[in-house]
Amino acid sequence: MNLVLHVWRQASPTVKGGFVRYEAKDISDHASFLEMLDIVNEQLTENGEEPIAFEHDCREGICGSCGLVINGVPHGPQHGAATCQLHMRHYKDGDQIWIEPWRAKAFPVVKDLVVDRGALDRIIQVGGYISARTGAVPDANATLIRKEHAELAMDAASCIGCGACVAACPNASAMLFVAAKVSHLGLLPQGQPERRDRVLNLVAQMDSEGFGSCTNHAECEASCPKQISIDFIARLNRDLFVASLAQTPERMVAGAG
Amino acid sequence: MELDSKVPSGPIQEKWDKRKFELKLVNPANKRKYTVIVVGSGLAGASAAASLGELGYIVKCFCYQDSARRAHSIAAQGGINAAKNYQNDGDSIWRLFYDTVKGGDYRSREANVYRLAQVSNNIIDQCVAQGVPFAREYGGLLANRSFGGAQVSRTFYARGQTGQQLLVGAYHALAKEVGNGTVQMFPRTEMLDLVLVDGQARGIVVRDMVTGKVSSHAAHAVVLATGGYSNVYFFSTNAKGCNTTAIWRAHRRGAVFANPCFTQIHPTCIPRAGEYQSKLTLMSESLRNDGRIWVPKEQGENRPAAQIPDAERDYYLERLYPSFGNLTPRDIASRRAKEAVDDGRGVGLLKNGVYLDFRDAIQRLGKSVIEERYGNLFEMYERITGENPYAVPMRIYPAPHYTMGGLWVDYDLQSTIPGLFVIGEANFSDHGANRLGASALMQGLADGYFVLPYTISDYLARVGPTKTDPTHAAFGAVEREVGERVKKLLAVNGKLTVDTIHRDLGQVMWDACGMARSRGALEKGLEAIPEIRERFWREVRVPGRGEDFNQSLEKAGRLADFLELGELMCRDALHREESSGGHFREEFQTPEGEAKRDDERFAFVSAWEFTGVGSAPKLHQEPLSFENVPLSQRSYK
Ligand SMILES: Cc1cc2nc3c(=O)[nH]c(=O)nc-3n(C[C@H](O)[C@H](O)[C@H](O)COP(=O)(O)OP(=O)(O)OC[C@H]3O[C@@H](n4cnc5c(N)ncnc54)[C@H](O)[C@@H]3O)c2cc1C
Ligand code: FES
């Protein structure tokens, strides 16, 4: 098939970007979306132009590197899949496709379709973990965990940290990302001692990174490649309420910069 | 050069305790006077960096992705082994050790493997404490499954996302230390060379992948945890960025490279849909429990699978291996698939696969059982191929997956360069000529959490907390070399893209040093690779600038190193005149067509020393002895 692409090109964080039109010719139905971009990039290189920068690594929907807004939708038209899992059989000859980076104040553009998602790492660094020093731990079967809790924790833990939730949210909120982390760890007995501080510190860091607040649009859930449920946001809000009653966290971890 | 494995004396069960007791310790108050560089944030690197940070060392950790959490370990699906014996089915440290040595076809070091089995149990404890949501039984205990043909259920798993969950656990530990200020994280920073001062590893030269700035980092020791090199084949199951640069650069600086030709080809990947594709998706091996593998009996068969009657199908694994059938080990299943396709009996549009058929299983068990067992895999397959595997058989084909070879390390995981440690898939240590399923994750975490943090202290205590100095002349010299290489890559400005040349290299490597190897094919490969290398340096086109985010430049630098590594792999394969594990030399097989080891001549580790590009590397041998697992020939007939 032949396609017309309108791709966001931006040389660096500080210069203005814009859409550039490209033609993608002779694309096979079986190619993935990113392979289609590879083919376009090969042609650009052969023509002496700079290829389109986009992020990717595993190409199987698990590393969270890739992420494009395709015709206005983060990760494109396919439900529950990352950009790298999208195949060209979803398109037909002559289609026009608009391709943009994640748009959010907290995710500045690095180049073309690549953004800086370091804010998500910094949120985890202020307490999105269980402090279990290497070696200082009991036998794995010493604590029994109800299967349904383990399963629910796993649902939350399947987050790949791609940032699509932020890109989809009209407020560019990172609430689903934070809620998934808080829920994953808060559902497990091991996560209880730090539960209160964790939610307070993570939410504070999220706010200071410039993410917007959650006003229940649920766009995040719709674009999440792992279909993480917004029920976890309700869970976060409950935790946050309980934790706030006790005021300041026992231990503040400074933003890791 | 004398290769001293430093394996402690005494009974195998006591070696690790003995070594731990002998190791010098660094006084707690002195730990913060030492800086350690960890390159890589996969299971091996993240667990090592976090544990070293907890101990109080100053740690600098590097990765090429935008976040430590995206390292390739994240893609592992199946699970992680441990000798917990939670199922009471007779597992033990000894059995895991035994299986791993035997599975590695007697080309690994017994003492290392025993230690791996010993610490495997600590890993599971550690991960659970971090909150890794492993699968559980209704009673709340951890669940296990049997994996990769093991006769005991020793594999722990988290749905089909075990690697992800383990890596997130290690990433959490790392994030905690970054928050505490003991670890400094450098994402989007690629190591391009190693710096030696007075023969010791003292730092690295890196390129900031956003600004292009080349700079130096100094330390008291350097740890490489940079993963495997399957991408030398261009197409593989590895993430696109996986590369050999860090270990290859260290090799060029004096670290010997062990068993480079020991690579693992995974039998159940989705075949390539076209020339443009390099990343292949792995389908879980568990599918072979219920799927039957076949190809048409006739060449050039064009009917759809359903119209080919049973009498005209060749269920070749069932025919050749009546007792193991479709569950023969990875290397055998792979080789037989290649034979069928080479024989013109491949299936699919490009005739580049074999069928994995669930028709009979669906008839026997019902669709719902199959759906319950493999639903998510079937969905993934359909998403990629557009074909519904409940209705038409899956197509599969082998693809490069894992590299057992890597930098040579002693029992302390130290390379032949003092102060340079190598962990995870990047070293050669534990899997011999073939890795068992669910053992790579185990090794990465064993090295990072439970081995390296001890052994590195011995080295640090011996060198002492002398001042590190990134302005030392040695750094300047390497920085200049790196800068010049970047300039050279950009200056060629020929007509060929990096991928075009990589595809050529991959084809040569696959033909010469893939699933089946022979003297003739390897000699041809050894002629072709230097030509491709020359073509690369004469005709490659790398657009853009060095002082910028430039993915073409990154790819070109990695390919330049693969072009040197490929030659070494072929030399190693040519030299090893036997078949063992993943290394199958056509000249050395039993009358039934099985791999024939030659323990008289080849029970050693081949460790190659770099002597210059295009010049013959020097071979060193580390003899292997098997005192605890008696040598025997495997048989799956
Ligand atoms: C699809 C797939 C499925 C698998 N399934 C299983 C399984 O079920 N069970 C199992 O046991 N094993 C499995 N494996 C194997 C296993 O995942 C790997 O062997 C293991 O995770 C490697 O871990 P590592 O820490 O050594 O390296 P990696 O996870 O590959 O990490 C390498 C790190 O090094 C960094 N790096 C590399 N080069 C540079 C450089 N030059 N400069 C800076 N940083 C650099 C990267 O950024 C990354 O952080 C699977 C592998 C694949 C491909
Ligand atoms: S490239 Fe890894 S999730 Fe898409």
Side-chain angles (χ1 to χ4, degrees), chain B residues 186-355:
Chain B
F186 295 85
R188 291 200 204 277
T189 310
E190 187 162 24
M191 166 182 166
L192 292 182
D193 218 330
L194 179 74
V195 182
L196 273 59
V197 177
D198 302 330
Q200 293 174 331
R202 277 291 179 163
I204 59 174
V205 169
V206 301
R207 178 172 176 275
D208 180 321
M209 294 160 73
V210 175
T211 64
K213 189 170 170 347
V214 171
S215 65
S216 296
H217 292 267
H220 294 90
V222 175
V223 181
L224 299 185
T226 50
Y229 51 85
S230 294
N231 277 350
V232 69
Y233 294 95
F234 186 60
F235 65 96
S236 84
T237 62
N238 286 13
K240 294 280 283 184
C242 292
N243 68 89
T244 190
T245 292
I247 58 172
W248 189 256
R249 292 282 126 191
H251 174 58
R252 291 181 52 128
R253 299 259 170 224
V256 302
F257 204 122
N259 300 334
C261 81
F262 284 170
T263 58
Q264 182 170 74
I265 314 279
H266 198 289
T268 53
C269 303
I270 302 178
R272 281 214 267 185
E275 267 261 296
Y276 50 82
Q277 189 179 1
S278 67
K279 159 74 194 197
L280 296 183
T281 303
L282 180 84
M283 301 295 293
S284 167
E285 235 171 332
S286 63
L287 291 166
R288 291 203 277 147
N289 289 328
D290 287 305
R292 295 180 69 194
I293 295 176
W294 64 276
V295 292
K297 280 192 177 154
E298 292 299 319
Q299 297 171 336
E301 172 66 75
N302 282 319
R303 283 173 293 174
Q307 287 172 23
I308 304 177
D310 267 11
E312 293 173 40
R313 300 177 175 194
D314 181 10
Y315 291 93
Y316 54 88
L317 288 179
E318 298 173 18
R319 172 168 60 79
L320 292 166
Y321 308 95
S323 52
F324 277 78
N326 296 295
L327 291 175
T328 51
R330 287 181 178 178
D331 54 332
I332 295 179
S334 296
R335 223 156 39 234
R336 297 290 165 251
K338 178 180 187 309
E339 277 167 14
V341 168
D342 289 352
D343 188 35
R345 298 189 293 147
V347 301
L349 224 52
L350 302 178
K351 303 241 176 270
N352 61 352
V354 299
Y355 285 130

Side-chain angles (χ1 to χ4, degrees), chain A residues 56-59 61-66 84:
Chain A
H56 62 94
D57 204 22
C58 75
R59 300 235 178 164
I62 193 74
C63 74
S65 295
C66 67
C84 59

Side-chain angles (χ1 to χ4, degrees), chain B residues 73-136:
Chain B
S73 293
I74 201 124
Q77 305 163 353
I80 178 167
N81 285 334
K84 281 286 195 186
N85 193 31
Y86 280 164
Q87 304 305 321
N88 197 30
D89 54 3
D91 200 7
S92 62
I93 289 171
W94 192 269
R95 189 178 293 280
L96 177 54
F97 156 64
Y98 187 95
D99 288 354
T100 308
V101 170
K102 193 160 170 254
D105 219 2
Y106 300 93
R107 291 295 174 261
S108 51
R109 198 188 278 148
E110 272 192 343
N112 284 54
V113 179
Y114 191 84
R115 175 178 63 191
L116 174 65
Q118 267 177 312
V119 302
S120 68
N121 292 337
N122 305 77
I123 295 172
I124 303 303
D125 298 342
Q126 187 64 35
C127 295
V128 167
Q130 290 167 343
V132 170
F134 282 123
R136 290 188 178 259

Side-chain angles (χ1 to χ4, degrees), chain A residues 11-13 28-32 35 38-39 41-60 62-65 78-81 85-87 89-90 110-111 114-118 120-122 124-126 128-147 150-155 157-163 177 181 184-185 188 190 194 226 251 253-254 256, chain B residues 47 50-51 54 64-72 74-77 84 86 122 124-142 156 158-159 161 164-165 168 171-180 185 187-188 210 237-242 273 276-282 349 380 382-387 449-450 495-500 503 541-545 548-552 555:
Chain A
S12 76
S28 149
D29 284 9
H30 297 298
S32 73
E35 284 162 2
D38 289 340
I39 293 170
N41 274 343
E42 287 288 285
Q43 283 158 3
L44 288 176
T45 306
E46 278 162 13
N47 297 340
E49 291 173 59
E50 253 196 82
I52 303 156
F54 64 91
E55 198 117 49
H56 62 94
D57 204 22
C58 75
R59 300 235 178 164
E60 51 181 288
I62 193 74
C63 74
S65 295
Q78 190 174 223
H79 217 59
Q85 297 172 289
L86 176 63
H87 281 73
R89 64 183 70 89
H90 291 268
V110 173
K111 183 172 181 176
V114 177
V115 299
D116 177 357
R117 290 171 289 194
L120 299 182
D121 282 329
R122 292 189 292 272
I124 303 303
Q125 286 157 11
V126 300
Y129 47 74
I130 290 169
S131 301
R133 200 173 61 249
T134 303
V137 301
D139 183 85
N141 257 346
T143 315
L144 302 183
I145 301 179
R146 276 178 72 92
K147 188 174 166 68
E151 293 289 328
L152 197 57
M154 180 64 217
D155 287 344
S158 62
C159 168
I160 59 174
C162 63
F177 171 81
K181 188 59 65 188
H184 159 203
L185 301 175
L188 299 171
Q190 308 89 299
E194 294 164 300
K226 294 292 152 189
R251 189 174 72 126
V253 180
Chain B
S47 58
S51 303
E54 285 170 3
Y64 71 74
Q65 293 91 347
D66 69 322
S67 165
R69 68 178 294 159
R70 307 203 201 284
H72 172 59
I74 201 124
Q77 305 163 353
K84 281 286 195 186
Y86 280 164
N122 305 77
I124 303 303
D125 298 342
Q126 187 64 35
C127 295
V128 167
Q130 290 167 343
V132 170
F134 282 123
R136 290 188 178 259
E137 300 166 0
Y138 280 102
L141 294 166
L142 288 158
F156 294 78
R159 292 198 189 142
Q161 303 158 28
Q164 179 201 23
Q165 293 310 316
V168 166
Y171 162 75
H172 283 174
L174 183 64
K176 167 169 73 72
E177 292 309 304
V178 174
N180 289 340
M185 189 68 218
R188 291 200 204 277
V210 175
T237 62
N238 286 13
K240 294 280 283 184
C242 292
Y276 50 82
Q277 189 179 1
S278 67
K279 159 74 194 197
L280 296 183
T281 303
L282 180 84
L349 224 52
M380 173 168 109
E382 183 166 2
R383 189 153 55 208
I384 293 173
T385 62
E387 293 169 359
Y449 283 132
F450 298 111
K495 290 207 157 30
L496 300 175
T497 67
V498 176
D499 282 0
T500 309
R503 201 173 289 124
R541 170 176 294 174
V542 183
R545 296 181 306 131
D548 194 2
F549 186 94
N550 188 337
Q551 291 170 317
S552 307
K555 282 200 291 191

